[in-house]
Amino acid sequence: MKIPRIYSQLAHGPRGVGGRWKSAADEAGWYGSCKGPLVLVLTADFPPGPGSPPAPGREYWLARPASAVRELAEVTAVVLGIAFAGWFAPVTYHVFGYVYLFAVIALSLRVGRWPVLFAAVASAVVWNYVFIPPRLSFSVLDFDDSLMLGTYCFAALIGGQLTARIRAQERTERQRERRASALLHLSRALTAARSFDEAAAAALRQADGLFSARTALLLAGETGELAPHPAGSYPLTAADAAAAPRARHAGVAVGRLAHPADLAPALHVPLRRAERALGVFVVALPAAVRSLTLPQRDLIEAFAAQIALLVEREQLRAASERERRLAESERLHRTLLDSVSHELKTPLAVLRSAVERLEAAPGGPTTVLTAEIRTAAARLDDTVANLLHQTRLESGAVRPRLDWCDPRDLITAARRRAGDALANRPVTLEIEPDVPLVRTDAVLTEHALANLLLNAARHTPAGSAVRIAARCDVVNPRLRLEVGDRGPGIPVERRRDLFQKFQRGPRAPAGGLGLGLSIARGFMLAQGGDAVVSDEPGGGACFSLLLPFAEPAEVPDDDR
Amino acid sequence: MTADPTRPDILVVDDEIQIRRLLRLTLEAAGYAVREAPTAQAGQAELVRRGPDAVILDLGLPDESGIELLRRLREWSPVPVVILSVLGQEDRKVAALDAGADDYLTKPFGSAELLARLRALLRRIKPAVAASRFRFGRIEVDLAARRVARDGAPLHLTSMEYALLQLFVAHRDKVLTHRQILRELWGPNAERHTHYLRTYMLRLRRKLEDDADFPRHFLTESGVGYRFVSEPAGT
């Protein structure tokens, strides 16, 4: 922070110079003792000592433009004071020209441009009236005196105006620097904080000190409700509680200091980040503060922006933490499922292979018994598989691997998977010749389709026909994989619950958990599809898997 | 475990003792010599001690993934490897096949299936006289003359279709992953373009299969790839 600053410093003056300027020069470490009355001290910033004030920028916050009336009164007092004192001084009237010139320039260090102008004119008038003989009357000037008065007027005007301009610049510069210093201090405190709560508390305490106010921080929770942060020092009144959401939704500051008609005693500044208000920063200033200057308002807004940044960072951190935890729990879940699956399936695999070997061995035990074991093992295998699939679906562990598939392949694989269940049934295939490729997880969709085939085989009379079709829905573009049967059909009132788990038809044969259709639908939903049931034309039920379409990219052609 | 030079030597790497015992029973009954290893490390040691004729490798081993073992093995040996995996692990299957496995079996599998796969793999390392003519179903392929005929009538294949057929014939009875085929025919940049493959497979099936809607020779291995079977079971 090496911003060179300009102090206009009056080093030696007979009177009327505020101690403030002197101390500024002291601090600057260089004290002008030059011959002339006006000394410019150029200096870098004050070194930040260990005993720096608790809330830097406070002067900036407190700086209020002096009232014009007060400044005019000051000017009048000085001009008249000199006239009064000079009355008794045993010097010629010429001297007062210098005294007044000095006074005007000294005043220009304290007051604005217009009061300085006033001082120049008034002092010329008073000088003439009081000092230029004849005293206490406006004199008819001789050539020397009028020249002197004219030069005086010009010198006072130019000197006063220049000094006032430099002072205004210096003042702006100083304000800017103090504002920066306040914000720097804040951001340092935020960086040093080890947690969000600590950072929020640090920010609020700084605001408390800087603004001589009590503050509160309201943060939007996941439901969108504003909740006060415990570090706040200002208990919200009912009017404040009503004002905070208004500030948040409007995106602008609300409160009596923003609109005189507003009832909320505190100022509510929304914490905005990219069109989103993350919360509200509440500053309750003492009741004596009736209005805010632009720089004051600006500093509060800057504070709110810093806090908004902090809140956003915290939210991002929390989100990534949540993500990580979720991934971790998912991984655990999956590992558990995998090991349970392995532990259940390995003995079953052994059982099946062993029975196979038994049946193949010459002179083995009676085939009736081994066939029983084989059937039981197969059934157990199906049950375990279904339960695991259902669990995977419910725990969200089903992650479809979408890739381009030929619907013919899906049907072939499902038929192979359904195996002997369809052995003694006439199966008709209706595949539209130009049925397009679909983007789907082949394993899941085959499984779902096989479940529909098994369902048809299970619930329709032995030997009745099964129709498998692949067609496009033209209206709502998607692929339909249909399994039509010649069974009793599904009454309309049963259709809604049909795909729920553990639903078994009233006339269903014994055995089975009622998971097949639920799994089929689950697998389709997991990849953006669906499963539905309707009437098969000519009697029976028609189960359909629906898959969304996507246009595949061009296939390079070769006609050679 | 005496080394019998006439019997093919199979190394089984699986941590489940029951599976190992069953595989031993099945394989020995079919005339193979069997060695066992319960961990990847033990498997590695067995592989180094004496190269087997084929390896049956479980992917879920306690000390490290079977794929790791496979990758190391492939750095120095082309020995046929059949991997064992459970249903729903298509990713791992594809990864293992891409890492150099020759075939896979999904648990639970039948012994007939296992023996058929093993036979096909062992046949390939000792190929019969490389025939330039090759028959499957009603199709005859003359690899030397680049001619394809159905029931004696010539059949026109585009160059891409022929290349695809050639690839399948060269790897008959073996599973080829999508990535392997795409890389071979369309280059490494096309590895993700499964829809090329689907489209050409449909064209090839329409020309070479009796019923393209229910193919018997050009089989789809769900989520993995394709397998060309010259003599489907049950014919």
Side-chain angles (χ1 to χ4, degrees):
Chain A
M1 283 284 288
K2 290 283 171 199
I3 304 169
R5 293 189 314 189
I6 299 170
Y7 290 96
S8 31
Q9 166 65 31
L10 192 63
H12 300 287
R15 61 190 128 164
V17 179
R20 191 171 140 207
W21 303 105
K22 197 163 180 164
S23 82
D26 278 339
E27 281 179 79
W30 193 78
Y31 205 106
S33 60
C34 304
K35 307 254 163 36
L38 183 68
V39 178
L40 286 179
V41 181
L42 270 170
T43 169
D45 195 9
F46 303 123
S52 53
R58 205 176 147 78
E59 289 173 59
Y60 164 64
W61 165 255
L62 294 175
R64 303 185 74 86
S67 77
V69 175
R70 210 201 68 205
E71 291 189 342
L72 283 177
E74 215 167 286
V75 166
T76 315
V78 169
V79 170
L80 294 181
I82 290 172
F84 183 72
W87 185 264
F88 304 103
V91 289
T92 65
Y93 66 93
H94 297 102
V95 174
F96 292 100
Y98 294 101
V99 173
Y100 271 121
L101 186 60
F102 165 74
V104 167
I105 291 174
L107 277 169
S108 70
L109 293 175
R110 282 186 58 77
V111 299
R113 278 183 183 196
W114 295 110
V116 167
L117 195 68
F118 171 71
V121 174
S123 61
V125 170
V126 171
W127 185 26
N128 184 343
Y129 184 74
V130 177
F131 294 110
I132 297 180
R135 287 189 165 192
L136 289 180
S137 71
F138 287 106
S139 324
V140 179
L141 298 171
D142 62 12
F143 180 71
D144 287 4
D145 286 344
S146 48
L147 198 63
M148 191 169 65
L149 195 64
T151 335
Y152 164 76
C153 264
F154 272 111
L157 280 176
I158 294 170
Q161 290 303 304
L162 276 180
T163 320
R165 186 182 300 171
I166 291 173
R167 196 177 70 96
Q169 276 174 1
E170 180 264 347
R171 199 182 145 112
T172 320
E173 198 62 40
R174 178 186 299 236
Q175 280 193 348
R176 201 175 292 159
E177 185 265 331
R178 286 188 173 140
R179 174 180 186 275
S181 138
L183 290 175
L184 177 77
H185 205 77
L186 173 66
S187 79
R188 262 195 209 141
L190 295 188
T191 318
R194 276 161 303 179
S195 67
F196 171 72
D197 287 337
E198 215 177 287
L204 292 183
R205 289 302 79 75
Q206 285 220 358
D208 287 357
L210 181 61
F211 306 138
S212 305
R214 283 180 302 160
T215 51
L217 184 60
L218 301 175
L219 297 177
E222 286 182 5
T223 50
E225 288 288 302
L226 285 172
H229 190 272
S233 58
Y234 175 64
L236 266 69
T237 64
D240 283 321
R246 271 194 291 133
R248 180 165 172 243
H249 293 302
V252 291
V254 160
R256 75 176 165 87
L257 292 171
H259 289 283
D262 208 314
L263 289 178
L267 184 68
H268 298 254
V269 187
L271 303 175
R272 295 210 302 170
R273 289 295 297 164
E275 305 304 311
R276 229 155 42 94
L278 308 173
V280 177
F281 175 47
V282 183
V283 187
L285 291 160
V289 180
R290 296 252 167 251
S291 65
L292 290 177
T293 62
L294 203 61
Q296 289 174 334
R297 180 87 179 256
D298 168 68
L299 189 61
I300 293 184
E301 301 265 0
F303 249 72
Q306 283 281 325
I307 296 176
L309 201 65
L310 174 75
V311 173
E312 187 189 48
R313 212 168 49 203
E314 166 65 11
Q315 285 186 347
L316 291 177
R317 197 196 56 72
S320 85
E321 174 72 5
R322 249 198 322 274
E323 193 97 326
R324 199 186 58 73
R325 289 226 184 106
L326 205 68
E328 178 66 12
S329 103
E330 215 161 83
R331 196 186 60 78
L332 267 176
H333 217 110
R334 200 170 292 220
T335 312
L336 190 68
L337 257 175
D338 281 353
S339 53
V340 168
S341 157
H342 180 255
E343 286 308 301
L344 288 171
K345 281 186 170 169
T346 305
L348 279 168
V350 171
L351 203 57
R352 276 177 63 166
S353 312
V355 172
E356 245 175 61
R357 294 268 313 131
L358 267 183
E359 286 178 323
T366 50
T367 49
V368 182
L369 282 181
T370 52
E372 279 305 318
I373 297 175
R374 194 186 48 203
T375 315
R379 187 166 151 194
L380 198 55
D381 209 19
D382 283 347
T383 310
V384 165
N386 274 338
L387 280 173
L388 286 172
H389 285 315
Q390 187 69 36
T391 314
R392 277 214 169 80
L393 271 173
E394 277 169 27
S395 66
V398 173
R399 284 284 158 82
R401 262 183 354 127
L402 299 185
D403 204 346
W404 294 107
C405 292
D406 189 336
R408 293 169 189 82
D409 284 343
L410 299 173
I411 292 174
T412 310
R415 285 175 70 184
R416 252 195 280 165
R417 203 189 270 258
D420 294 339
L422 293 174
N424 298 317
R425 290 166 182 272
V427 175
T428 47
L429 273 184
E430 293 172 8
I431 301 177
E432 286 180 359
D434 54 350
V435 66
L437 299 181
V438 277
R439 213 169 150 67
T440 178
D441 183 311
V443 176
L444 295 186
T445 309
E446 281 164 28
H447 196 114
L449 191 60
N451 277 10
L452 296 191
L453 290 174
L454 290 173
N455 188 63
R458 197 179 178 87
H459 297 281
T460 59
S464 63
V466 172
R467 179 183 65 91
I468 307 175
R471 68 177 74 255
C472 303
D473 266 2
V474 189
V475 186
N476 186 3
R478 56 192 176 176
L479 179 81
R480 291 181 87 94
L481 294 172
E482 297 177 350
V483 174
D485 62 44
R486 290 286 170 220
I490 308 290
V492 178
E493 66 275 10
R494 284 259 305 132
R495 286 181 190 172
R496 212 162 53 92
D497 300 333
L498 199 64
F499 290 100
Q500 302 293 317
K501 61 182 169 177
F502 305 121
Q503 285 291 320
R504 304 188 59 243
R507 288 186 302 268
L513 284 173
L515 285 176
L517 289 178
S518 154
I519 291 170
R521 178 143 191 262
F523 280 177
M524 299 315 290
L525 290 177
Q527 43 182 325
D530 203 353
V532 294
V533 63
S534 56
D535 282 325
E536 173 79 349
C542 172
F543 289 85
S544 307
L545 303 181
L546 308 176
L547 277 170
F549 265 153
E551 204 60 42
E554 285 288 297
V555 177
D557 219 354
D558 74 324
D559 296 319
R560 282 166 295 144
Chain B
M1 246 195 280
T2 51
D4 181 346
T6 61
R7 296 208 297 170
D9 177 27
I10 312 289
L11 175 64
V12 176
V13 187
D14 194 318
D15 57 327
E16 294 285 342
I17 186 161
Q18 280 197 299
I19 300 265
R20 288 206 307 273
R21 276 204 299 253
L22 262 168
L23 284 173
R24 172 182 286 281
L25 274 172
T26 311
L27 293 173
E28 283 183 347
Y32 295 100
V34 179
R35 281 188 284 155
E36 296 174 23
T39 61
Q41 255 187 342
Q44 173 91 355
E46 283 292 325
L47 282 167
V48 173
R49 194 164 67 82
R50 186 157 47 81
D53 292 309
V55 180
I56 297 176
L57 176 64
D58 187 37
L59 284 184
L61 292 173
D63 50 347
E64 69 174 335
S65 156
I67 294 183
E68 288 305 311
L69 178 61
L70 177 63
R71 288 214 176 96
R72 280 206 305 279
L73 173 67
R74 276 293 173 257
E75 287 170 12
W76 57 276
S77 169
V79 59
V81 174
V82 180
I83 52 170
L84 300 181
S85 82
V86 282
L87 188 70
Q89 295 185 337
E90 271 64 28
D91 286 345
R92 294 175 69 183
K93 277 182 222 163
V94 173
L97 289 168
D98 283 336
D102 296 272
D103 213 327
Y104 71 91
L105 282 169
T106 304
K107 291 180 193 171
F109 48 84
S111 42
E113 206 179 351
L114 168 70
L115 293 174
R117 296 284 164 86
L118 264 185
R119 265 200 307 278
L121 286 181
L122 291 171
R123 185 178 63 216
R124 225 162 347 110
I125 39 174
K126 295 176 206 147
V129 188
S132 75
R133 282 169 179 251
F134 181 79
R135 281 195 75 89
F136 62 94
R138 294 155 60 194
I139 306 294
E140 188 173 291
V141 187
D142 187 338
L143 293 169
R146 294 177 71 93
R147 263 206 300 267
V148 184
R150 155 181 264 160
D151 296 333
L155 207 60
H156 174 72
L157 293 190
T158 66
S159 58
M160 200 53 101
E161 289 163 358
Y162 186 77
L164 194 55
L165 175 63
Q166 221 173 7
L167 186 69
F168 277 121
V169 171
H171 297 90
R172 61 175 177 276
D173 299 322
K174 189 196 156 186
V175 62
L176 289 170
T177 64
H178 297 141
R179 184 198 290 242
Q180 286 165 345
I181 305 175
L182 285 164
R183 177 186 276 269
E184 190 72 31
L185 265 69
W186 281 276
N189 291 336
E191 273 178 16
R192 303 206 144 274
H193 298 181
T194 326
H195 58 289
Y196 292 5
L197 190 51
R198 300 285 185 208
T199 310
Y200 275 94
M201 281 309 290
L202 180 62
R203 293 185 193 166
L204 196 62
R205 280 172 176 164
R206 283 192 169 147
K207 287 185 180 174
L208 301 181
E209 291 273 6
D210 290 344
D211 179 1
D213 289 345
F214 198 62
R216 289 155 42 80
H217 297 288
F218 298 92
L219 303 183
T220 300
E221 297 280 336
S222 306
V224 175
Y226 289 95
R227 184 197 300 275
F228 170 63
V229 182
S230 54
E231 290 155 21
T235 38

